[in-house]
Amino acid sequence: MAGLTLVYDLVLYISISTVIFFIIKRSRSRRLRLPPGSLGLPFLGETLQLIAAYKTENPEPFIDVRVKRFGSIFTTHIFGEPTVFSADPETNRFILQNEGKLFECSYPGSISNLLGKHSLLLMKGSLHKRMHSLTMSFANSSIIRDHLLVDIDRLVRLHMDSWTDRVLLMEEAKKITFELTVKQLMSFDPNEWTESLRKEYVLVIEGFFTVPLPIFSTTYRRAIQARTKVAEALSLVVRQRRKESESGERKNDMLEALLAGDDGFSDEEIVDFLVALLVAGYETTSTIMTLAVKFLTETPLALAQLKEEHDEIRAKKSKQEPLEWNDYKSMPFTQCVVNETLRVANIISGVFRRAMTDINIKGKKIYASDIGSINFQQKISYIFS
Ligand code: HEM
């Protein structure tokens, strides 16, 4: 019996050693073939350095240091995957121009776990096409035109009425954005349920920017748990609304468009879609709104011109009359302020793409099977210099 155990241990030892040997050999040969750079620590890679940089006022050093050392296309290891990072405008243009041919949208496992595999950002092929066109036609529909401005007007007034002398603008912008999105998606007005959903969302979003290993990171563990809670809450809503829709009760929102279309989306697909849309609109829009106020405060002339445009429209309305789509369309200067804020703020620092095939970029080979994802960062100084 003891002899048998010894043989068993020996076989196990040899098998484990062989696996480790091949993993090390494979990762060394991968490393040799990748663009220059560093893969950092085992498992963690260079994620901690990236996060630390983004928590400062200037995240650029993470990129600058590596561009200086390795060139504008370098290898790193972030969010659990080896990643080729491009800070080279020409390469970035090439990547985007070859979307679907040489590169496809692909996000690290940590991010896709939180978004859900049926989110618009991660879907591919015909399902992506159908969901994308449904979203676009809803965004351009009369439903949005008739209600969006009225909803915005009402929510902004509601929040402004509750303001005291000290206002945390970004926090308020986040609440307004979340409540507005929930209203457009599911027709809920702000209440305790929407606020507790928002609190869970905050935890999910915190998880996007952390070490994606539940063993190492409480934030990531909490984010996964919050994602489960959000999905459960939304599943209940979808099930209830499916029943109502089948019995002929209809609402004017995105969920109705998903339930009533000919596409036959499953509950899971709809929930992932809603989770991701709430994520996509939450942090982005509220950050941009806050920055618009900051930029306007720093540019009094523009603020005065904006105010003049708004006062002219307000003067034609009674005090409680809400803004409408036509009012929004007759604000050319406001539109310029929005566009300029989007251009200058540049809040999306990069996107992820995966090479679909082996590709040579500027003399560096990028292997489809080897690369986790391609992240490209187009710094504002590159765009305008
Ligand atoms: C200023 C605000 C926003 C910015 C800067 C922004 C930026 C972006 C960027 C850069 C992408 C492309 C990601 C990629 O290709 O990997 C994207 C995709 C997307 N965004 Fe936004 N976004 C904003 C607001 C919103 C809002 C309000 C929503 C909806 C509520 C939204 C929904 C989406 C969706 C669904 C996609 C995926 C589209 C598809 O693949 O079909 N975004 N956004």
Side-chain angles (χ1 to χ4, degrees):
M1 192 65 188
L4 211 68
T5 313
L6 192 69
V7 172
Y8 176 78
D9 284 351
L10 206 64
V11 170
L12 194 70
Y13 176 76
I14 292 170
S15 319
I16 292 174
S17 306
T18 313
V19 171
I20 290 174
F21 172 77
F22 278 111
I23 288 175
I24 291 172
K25 193 165 174 282
R26 192 157 168 251
S27 84
R28 276 216 188 110
S29 70
R30 277 181 178 190
R31 228 176 282 189
L32 288 177
R33 291 183 291 158
L34 289 167
S38 159
L39 293 178
L41 296 168
F43 304 115
L44 296 174
E46 298 192 299
T47 313
L48 291 178
Q49 286 98 314
L50 181 78
I51 293 170
Y54 272 89
K55 288 199 169 153
T56 66
E57 276 183 17
N58 174 17
E60 307 284 295
F62 180 86
I63 305 153
D64 289 345
V65 168
R66 284 159 183 79
V67 168
K68 221 172 185 177
R69 245 180 102 191
F70 306 116
S72 57
I73 303 174
F74 60 87
T75 300
T76 178
H77 189 293
I78 47 173
F79 303 118
E81 293 191 39
T83 302
V84 172
F85 202 112
S86 165
D88 176 54
E90 215 181 304
T91 304
N92 297 346
R93 202 168 305 118
F94 174 77
I95 294 171
L96 283 185
Q97 280 170 346
N98 284 286
E99 181 94 36
K101 288 179 248 163
L102 300 175
F103 301 93
E104 62 184 4
C105 192
S106 174
Y107 278 74
S110 54
I111 294 179
S112 38
N113 283 346
L114 291 175
L115 280 178
K117 61 177 186 288
H118 301 299
S119 82
L120 254 183
L121 210 56
L122 304 169
M123 261 189 253
K124 297 191 174 68
S126 66
L127 188 59
H128 177 257
K129 238 183 191 162
R130 281 189 290 144
M131 279 267 189
H132 182 93
S133 74
L134 200 128
T135 314
M136 294 325 269
S137 49
F138 180 77
N140 291 319
S141 69
S142 59
I143 299 175
I144 283 287
R145 270 204 305 278
D146 294 347
H147 296 284
L148 187 67
L149 268 286
V150 178
D151 289 336
I152 293 176
D153 195 294
R154 195 170 39 84
L155 279 171
V156 171
R157 281 174 200 249
L158 195 75
H159 279 265
M160 284 177 84
D161 286 349
S162 71
W163 287 358
T164 49
D165 50 347
R166 188 164 176 265
V167 175
L168 296 172
L169 192 60
M170 178 97 162
E171 200 46 38
E172 291 299 302
K174 282 184 174 177
K175 282 185 192 158
I176 294 172
T177 308
F178 190 81
E179 287 165 7
L180 183 70
T181 316
V182 170
K183 176 79 181 162
Q184 306 313 307
L185 293 179
M186 298 171 262
S187 296
F188 285 123
D189 284 317
N191 58 30
E192 269 175 34
W193 183 84
T194 56
E195 186 51 17
S196 75
L197 192 71
R198 192 181 74 84
K199 289 195 174 132
E200 294 299 335
Y201 251 91
V202 173
L203 300 179
V204 175
I205 288 167
E206 277 170 10
F208 285 116
F209 222 57
T210 182
V211 178
L213 299 164
I215 314 168
F216 288 107
S217 166
T218 325
T219 312
Y220 195 65
R221 254 198 327 269
R222 242 182 5 215
I224 296 279
Q225 283 162 2
R227 208 271 172 200
T228 311
K229 279 192 202 164
V230 167
E232 280 168 4
L234 294 181
S235 294
L236 285 178
V237 175
V238 173
R239 247 179 280 153
Q240 178 63 27
R241 284 285 303 271
R242 200 183 277 285
K243 268 193 220 148
E244 288 170 14
S245 187
E246 279 162 6
S247 65
E249 221 179 296
R250 295 279 152 95
K251 290 204 167 80
N252 270 339
D253 57 22
M254 182 78 214
L255 182 50
E256 195 62 54
L258 289 162
L259 290 168
D262 303 326
D263 299 277
F265 297 124
S266 69
D267 283 9
E268 195 197 348
E269 282 166 350
I270 295 178
V271 167
D272 279 4
F273 176 88
L274 296 176
V275 169
L277 221 55
L278 272 161
V279 168
Y282 182 67
E283 198 84 10
T284 47
T285 317
S286 51
T287 309
I288 284 284
M289 275 159 65
T290 310
L291 284 169
V293 173
K294 173 183 153 50
F295 295 154
L296 282 167
T297 313
E298 291 165 353
T299 327
L301 216 63
L303 180 60
Q305 200 172 335
L306 186 88
K307 213 167 162 301
E308 197 182 318
E309 188 168 88
H310 292 185
D311 286 346
E312 257 176 45
I313 293 171
R314 264 276 144 239
K316 293 181 206 146
K317 289 177 174 285
S318 67
K319 199 159 182 275
Q320 289 306 316
E321 209 180 332
L323 285 175
E324 283 163 6
W325 192 255
N326 286 343
D327 300 321
Y328 163 69
K329 284 286 164 198
S330 54
M331 297 181 192
F333 186 73
T334 308
Q335 196 60 60
C336 292
V337 171
V338 171
N339 291 344
E340 186 62 0
T341 304
L342 284 168
R343 186 183 73 83
V344 177
N346 190 28
I347 55 164
I348 303 289
S349 52
V351 296
F352 286 82
R353 293 292 181 268
R354 187 183 294 273
M356 292 159 77
T357 175
D358 298 352
I359 298 162
N360 239 315
I361 291 185
K362 298 210 161 169
K364 291 172 187 101
K365 194 122 188 181
I366 291 175
Y367 293 86
S369 56
D370 283 353
I371 302 295
S373 46
I374 291 184
N375 178 268
F376 64 93
Q377 171 103 8
Q378 188 133 16
K379 295 203 293 179
I380 202 147
S381 52
Y382 288 163
I383 302 172
F384 298 114
S385 61

